[in-house]
Amino acid sequence: TEHTKTTMLIFGGTGDLTHRKLIPALYQLEINGFLPKDFSVISIGRRDKTSDEYRSEILESTKKFSSRNFEEESYEEFSKKVSYFKLKFEDAEDYKELKNLLEQSGKDENKENSYLFYLAVSPDYFSEIVHQLENSGIRTMDSAWQRLVIEKPFGQDLSSAEKLNASISEVFEEKDIYRIDHYVAKEMIQNTHMLRFQNAIFESIWNRHHINNVQITVLEKEGVGTRGGYYDHTGALRDMVQNHLLQLLAVTAMEPPKSLDADDVRNEKVKVFEKLVPFQPDTLNEQLILGQYSGYKKEDKVSASSQTETLVATKVYIDNERWQGVPFYLLTGKALKNKTAQITIEFKKSTLYGEEKDSEPNILEIKIQPDEGITLHLNVKKPGVVDQMAMVEMDYCQSCLYLFNSPDSYEKLILDALHGDSTLFTRWDELQLTWKYVDAIFSTLGEDRTSYLESYERESNGPESLDTFIHSGARKWWYRN
Ligand code: BG6
């Protein structure tokens, strides 16, 4: 409103995420008129530079990474709102100066100040920065609200996540902590909610009586690139499954929430996580495949004897009325043939005339990226005097229909955090339960994983064992269609 001044402070202002995602997202929000009227960004980094230097650096990245139109003129307007502030994350004096700056710029008595602290830094600094905000007195500055946005990874396992959370909770209340999972904000995942709950034809068959299995596949073409140092200590289970893939599972599997309120929606996701059938050590081979692409051990900053998985396939069951017995296949990996992400629902085959030989199950594909859309596979009669069946696809190609690119998920997430809507952010109990699930896998695997880890070629479909794995309960990996 007229009487509010909003300041977003980005810790890690010179980092990759800020350049690739945050600044381009803010620019898009600005030119589309979504940012608050009185809004400014303070980008915080350890390096010495002037705001002008900073603004010309982000000009380059905004040009390069903007999802949509870029115009020099509107960029000029936008960049006036951005300044740079040098600060060492562990230096108390620097935070005092930051506080002075905030007091100076927020002096207008007719306006209330609001602060969004965005931690786009290595997780090693999460706790440090949050406590410095407290100790410097920034946290107790007069303000309408103060919120904390935190990037992943939130911990390495349940116990480290608990420690981190306890430390952060000394300074921020849960309702003011916004933990990012950028997958949930992807356009087609938000659309999944709509598709399920606003279409009676789907909601009535969205259960074990009609669905044979669900496949959640998030595949990447790129290897680890320059992120070997981070990735080699993380691996695909922590990097992708614990957060993104289990979140997609929850969105697909949850019961209709009482309302669209953040807590009602998240309560339903939590109920799904509570009912995940715990990983069974004695059926490990039927439940899990781990892969590593060939050449991974030679990547920059990766250990030459690394046992880190760059691919995971796992079969998950949910023990509730709706889903009992329905396998959810999760597959994610790096250095594969294509970059593609989708959720595929394989329905049960029609058995009206017995198991018709050439009929296929109905398939619903929710395509997340690179193309966005929904495809439904149906059995029809081939035209002609001889009865023959054919499979056809009904296609809603969202990316063909809308000529502009969908907004990047960071646009949605930043905007929601500014509005105080935490629906798409991960609540602590969601995190707890997903870590618990993934921790059980790690403890089953133990230290030496050599016998589990399969090698696969770059630009392939992953290890061959993926085929046998999927046949345990599904017709095939439908994303390969
Ligand atoms: C990140 C992971 O959270 O998601 C990366 O840390 C991964 O390893 C990325 O590459 C994938 O996101 P997107 O949006 O490019 O599919």
Side-chain angles (χ1 to χ4, degrees):
T1 64
E2 294 290 303
H3 304 293
T4 325
K5 179 180 169 59
T6 310
T7 308
M8 175 167 170
L9 296 97
I10 305 178
F11 291 82
T14 55
D16 199 51
L17 184 77
T18 306
H19 277 274
R20 277 171 185 272
K21 295 287 184 182
L22 304 185
I23 295 286
L26 284 165
Y27 167 69
Q28 288 298 333
L29 288 173
E30 167 72 13
I31 58 173
N32 289 292
F34 288 118
L35 287 179
K37 222 167 164 204
D38 190 348
F39 179 79
S40 60
V41 177
I42 304 180
S43 264
I44 297 170
R46 284 170 284 195
R47 275 165 247 173
D48 229 344
K49 67 180 82 214
T50 64
S51 286
D52 276 340
E53 283 165 347
Y54 184 71
R55 282 192 280 261
S56 62
E57 285 170 16
I58 57 171
L59 165 66
E60 293 313 310
S61 26
T62 313
K63 253 190 211 164
K64 197 156 147 205
F65 298 116
S66 260
S67 56
R68 302 189 290 290
N69 326 341
F70 175 85
E71 296 157 6
E72 205 91 22
E73 207 174 306
S74 56
Y75 174 81
E76 282 298 315
E77 275 308 300
F78 162 72
S79 77
K80 284 182 197 151
K81 304 185 173 195
V82 184
S83 60
Y84 182 77
F85 186 82
K86 183 188 164 201
L87 171 145
K88 275 212 201 81
F89 297 146
E90 53 280 85
D91 189 335
E93 284 306 311
D94 286 358
Y95 287 83
K96 285 199 186 125
E97 271 181 45
L98 177 61
K99 184 176 177 232
N100 288 340
L101 173 74
L102 294 177
E103 278 170 349
Q104 286 303 318
S105 61
K107 234 175 13 204
D108 189 341
E109 278 175 14
N110 297 318
K111 287 197 178 173
E112 271 195 308
N113 287 291
S114 312
Y115 300 103
L116 188 69
F117 303 103
Y118 197 117
L119 307 193
V121 297
S122 144
D124 299 340
Y125 292 109
F126 288 167
S127 190
E128 172 80 34
I129 293 172
V130 166
H131 281 271
Q132 294 277 8
L133 291 174
E134 172 82 3
N135 298 339
S136 60
I138 293 177
R139 269 296 280 151
T140 44
M141 281 170 52
D142 203 18
S143 46
W145 52 258
Q146 297 196 357
R147 298 183 188 129
L148 180 73
V149 182
I150 289 215
E151 276 292 333
K152 63 179 271 263
F154 200 98
Q156 275 283 305
D157 51 21
L158 180 58
S159 97
S160 57
E162 273 170 346
K163 273 194 207 116
L164 176 60
N165 199 55
S167 166
I168 288 170
S169 305
E170 288 165 7
V171 181
F172 283 89
E173 283 177 55
E174 175 65 27
K175 71 169 180 48
D176 295 321
I177 305 176
Y178 289 70
R179 301 179 193 84
I180 293 237
D181 189 305
H182 77 286
Y183 260 76
V184 188
K186 287 191 191 267
E187 197 61 50
M188 287 310 293
I189 300 307
Q190 296 181 65
N191 213 329
T192 300
H193 199 94
M194 193 80 78
L195 181 74
R196 281 191 57 191
F197 300 126
Q198 300 295 331
N199 293 292
I201 54 164
F202 288 128
E203 186 44 23
S204 55
I205 56 170
W206 208 262
N207 56 50
R208 68 189 159 93
H209 302 296
H210 302 282
I211 290 178
N212 190 71
N213 70 87
V214 176
Q215 302 176 15
I216 298 175
T217 45
V218 179
L219 313 178
E220 297 181 88
K221 198 176 158 74
E222 299 285 309
V224 289
T226 54
R227 293 168 79 228
Y230 154 78
Y231 195 85
D232 205 34
H233 294 110
T234 309
L237 270 162
R238 290 192 178 97
D239 187 49
M240 299 293 289
V241 176
Q242 179 269 331
N243 37 69
H244 307 321
L245 276 88
L246 286 176
Q247 284 290 335
L248 300 194
L249 173 138
V251 171
T252 313
M254 71 201 244
E255 298 297 313
K258 264 200 306 221
S259 77
L260 293 178
D261 268 13
D263 274 328
D264 286 339
V265 172
R266 295 185 299 177
N267 286 343
E268 292 308 331
K269 287 207 274 173
V270 164
K271 284 185 204 158
V272 172
F273 295 139
E274 279 168 346
K275 293 292 179 189
L276 293 180
V277 176
F279 198 76
Q280 308 296 325
D282 48 337
T283 53
L284 188 110
N285 290 331
E286 290 152 43
Q287 269 188 286
L288 185 73
I289 288 185
L290 297 182
Q292 189 186 73
Y293 63 84
S294 66
Y296 171 74
K297 293 189 188 68
K298 296 209 181 84
E299 297 275 22
D300 190 29
K301 301 211 183 77
V302 166
S303 148
S305 58
S306 174
Q307 296 193 4
T308 300
E309 78 286 357
T310 60
L311 174 142
V312 177
T314 180
K315 188 157 71 158
V316 181
Y317 288 95
I318 304 167
D319 187 16
N320 64 13
E321 173 60 28
R322 189 186 287 267
W323 295 115
Q324 215 167 55
V326 179
F328 283 70
Y329 291 93
L330 313 186
L331 171 63
T332 184
K334 289 199 185 284
L336 294 164
K337 213 171 181 175
N338 296 307
K339 181 169 174 84
T340 150
Q342 71 176 61
I343 299 174
T344 313
I345 314 288
E346 179 179 328
F347 290 95
K348 292 197 165 156
K349 265 186 160 187
S350 163
T351 51
L352 193 57
Y353 301 115
E355 284 275 326
E356 188 71 49
K357 250 202 359 247
D358 46 4
S359 99
E360 290 269 12
N362 294 125
I363 302 294
L364 178 69
E365 295 176 84
I366 301 172
K367 295 176 174 161
I368 303 168
Q369 63 189 30
D371 296 330
E372 293 174 356
I374 296 165
T375 307
L376 182 63
H377 300 230
L378 301 171
N379 291 300
V380 297
K381 179 186 168 300
K382 256 192 198 163
V385 290
V386 188
D387 276 350
Q388 270 183 335
M389 191 124 60
M391 273 298 263
V392 292
E393 293 181 6
M394 282 173 61
D395 208 16
Y396 162 55
C397 173
Q398 181 158 288
S399 14
C400 315
L401 202 59
Y402 293 94
L403 291 177
F404 58 84
N405 283 333
S406 290
D408 187 83
S409 38
Y410 278 91
E411 292 171 45
K412 172 73 178 155
L413 290 167
I414 292 172
L415 192 62
D416 282 359
L418 289 170
H419 288 163
D421 180 350
S422 43
T423 314
L424 299 180
F425 295 84
T426 313
R427 205 168 62 185
W428 169 240
D429 47 356
E430 296 178 69
L431 210 65
Q432 248 176 326
L433 291 160
T434 47
W435 270 129
K436 198 170 137 196
Y437 187 80
V438 169
D439 274 5
I441 303 183
F442 280 110
S443 57
T444 307
L445 288 171
E447 285 298 307
D448 184 11
R449 303 209 205 142
T450 7
S451 57
Y452 304 115
L453 206 55
E454 295 176 47
S455 170
Y456 62 95
E457 291 306 312
R458 262 177 179 275
E459 301 199 12
S460 70
N461 277 325
E464 272 164 25
S465 57
L466 283 176
D467 292 329
T468 358
F469 184 76
I470 194 74
H471 291 147
S472 66
R475 181 76 177 68
K476 60 176 179 186
W477 289 109
W478 289 101
Y479 80 89
R480 289 186 198 166
N481 239 4

